[in-house]
Amino acid sequence: MICAWKADPALYSAYPDPRAVFSLGAGVDHLQPLKHRRDIPVFRVIDPDLTMRMVEYVAFAVLYLHRQIPLYLRHQKARIWNPPDQRAASHVRIGILGAGVMGEACGAALQSIGFQVSGWVRTPRAESAFPVRSGRDALPAFLANVDVLVNLLPRTDETTGLVNSAVFAALGAQRPSGVKFFVNAGRGETVVQADLIAALRSRTLAGAVLDVFTPEPLPTDSPLWAMDNVLITPHVAADSNPATIIPQVIRDIERLERGERVSGTVDLMRGY
Ligand code: NDP
Ligand code: OXD
């Protein structure tokens, strides 16, 4: 069995017939070399510690933008005391692109603060703490009711480049609030980075908190570094914690040995 995180693809040639492969994170895009090996069961981490780290990050990012912290940082530097208007959370619509394990938890946490939350997924959802739309056809209606777009999509063939200028332009169309924000903690490749930069420059997006990029590390000459309406973090939204993850992986391996079902099943052809 192989337990891996962004392993050198040579590993998979050196050990071509593992009984199972475990991703030591939530994402599985690093396992693309195994995409056509339908015979190998692949699992990924579903860990409450990892999920809560993402909840912390997304709650922080949304509140940072919503409570105008960049403005206060600028004012503090200039010793300016100038209280601006502040919207209530209940007037702000948060949209979670990719309301999966992490997105559901983030959405529920934001809802408990008072934000209006909705989500977008691939397959119809029977039950959720907040309204969830599914499928490409439902994307425009989802975006039309979003002021703060939180991207937690995995990188797959379908999601690569999905978040583009049309998506940014469509935000909030239903009841324009004038202020649109973007948070990305999913994968950089799901966003057309040039479109994101243009949207931030034109103030189509008032601000963004970004944890993931194409490529990573973000090159030092990327315009994103110097933008006053952008906060950059170096892919740290939710770090895998060996202390919580390793015992789970061991338990899952033992379950497999006994022929029992293991959660976190991945379909690499689907991409997540
Ligand atoms: P899940 O697999 O539980 O959720 C993924 C969600 O994305 C699902 O709701 C799925 O829909 C949706 N989705 C996938 N493809 C599409 C599509 N084509 N159209 C619409 N919706 C789609 O993953 P997690 O919530 O555990 O993790 C999400 C991602 O977060 C990871 O894949 C990883 O890329 C990223 N991540 C980033 C970290 C960081 O530190 N920045 C840390 C951990 C994860 P459906 O429900 O219908 O299947
Ligand atoms: C993950 C990550 O996918 O850390 O777990 O990005």
Side-chain angles (χ1 to χ4, degrees):
M1 305 215 193
I2 295 178
C3 303
W5 181 249
K6 298 184 182 170
D8 183 335
L11 174 84
Y12 305 111
S13 321
Y15 298 94
D17 290 308
R19 283 178 49 205
V21 174
F22 290 84
S23 168
L24 295 175
V28 293
D29 34 347
H30 63 103
L31 294 177
Q32 281 308 298
L34 298 176
K35 188 172 173 178
H36 298 288
R37 292 294 308 271
R38 299 214 67 130
D39 54 316
I40 306 173
V42 176
F43 305 94
R44 54 91 176 211
V45 159
I46 297 181
D47 175 34
D49 174 82
L50 191 69
T51 301
M52 280 318 292
R53 286 169 192 246
M54 186 59 88
V55 170
E56 272 178 29
Y57 184 89
V58 168
F60 154 76
V62 168
L63 289 172
Y64 171 86
L65 296 164
H66 165 67
R67 293 306 304 241
Q68 310 181 67
I69 302 304
L71 175 73
Y72 298 128
L73 290 172
R74 284 199 300 279
H75 281 185
Q76 185 174 342
K77 251 191 196 141
R79 297 168 187 254
I80 293 171
W81 182 283
N82 182 14
D85 287 342
Q86 177 62 49
R87 282 193 300 168
S90 58
H91 290 170
V92 178
R93 300 162 297 176
I94 314 284
I96 315 271
L97 270 182
V101 170
M102 297 205 177
E104 275 262 2
C106 293
L110 291 167
Q111 208 174 26
S112 76
I113 296 172
F115 290 104
Q116 298 174 40
V117 177
S118 64
W120 185 66
V121 297
R122 191 169 146 275
T123 46
R125 180 77 51 89
E127 247 179 62
S128 174
F130 46 85
V132 173
R133 295 177 198 265
S134 62
R136 276 285 176 143
D137 292 349
L139 186 58
F142 163 76
L143 295 171
N145 286 292
V146 169
D147 305 308
V148 184
L149 184 65
V150 176
N151 180 24
L152 290 173
L153 284 169
R155 170 163 70 112
T156 70
D157 291 346
E158 278 182 28
T159 63
T160 298
L162 186 145
V163 183
N164 57 19
S165 52
V167 165
F168 297 131
L171 285 178
Q174 183 86 359
R175 174 170 49 83
S177 66
V179 187
K180 308 193 268 187
F181 294 120
F182 180 56
V183 175
N184 191 10
R187 280 292 181 266
E189 292 82 358
T190 60
V191 177
V192 179
Q193 207 158 269
D195 288 5
L196 171 61
I197 291 167
L200 287 160
R201 277 194 177 131
S202 66
R203 305 280 159 167
T204 300
L205 288 174
V209 175
L210 307 173
D211 187 57
V212 288
F213 306 89
T214 318
E216 291 180 10
L218 183 65
T220 50
D221 62 356
S222 168
L224 286 170
W225 287 108
M227 290 185 153
D228 64 359
N229 52 350
V230 174
L231 177 69
I232 289 175
T233 55
H235 199 141
V236 292
D239 281 344
S240 294
N241 175 11
T244 58
I245 281 169
I246 298 306
Q248 289 183 51
V249 172
I250 291 172
R251 209 170 46 234
D252 284 348
I253 289 174
E254 287 168 352
R255 282 196 182 124
L256 280 183
E257 296 282 19
R258 292 195 297 269
E260 294 171 11
R261 223 183 131 262
V262 170
S263 62
T265 307
V266 170
D267 176 350
L268 286 181
M269 287 305 278
R270 189 184 64 168
Y272 66 102

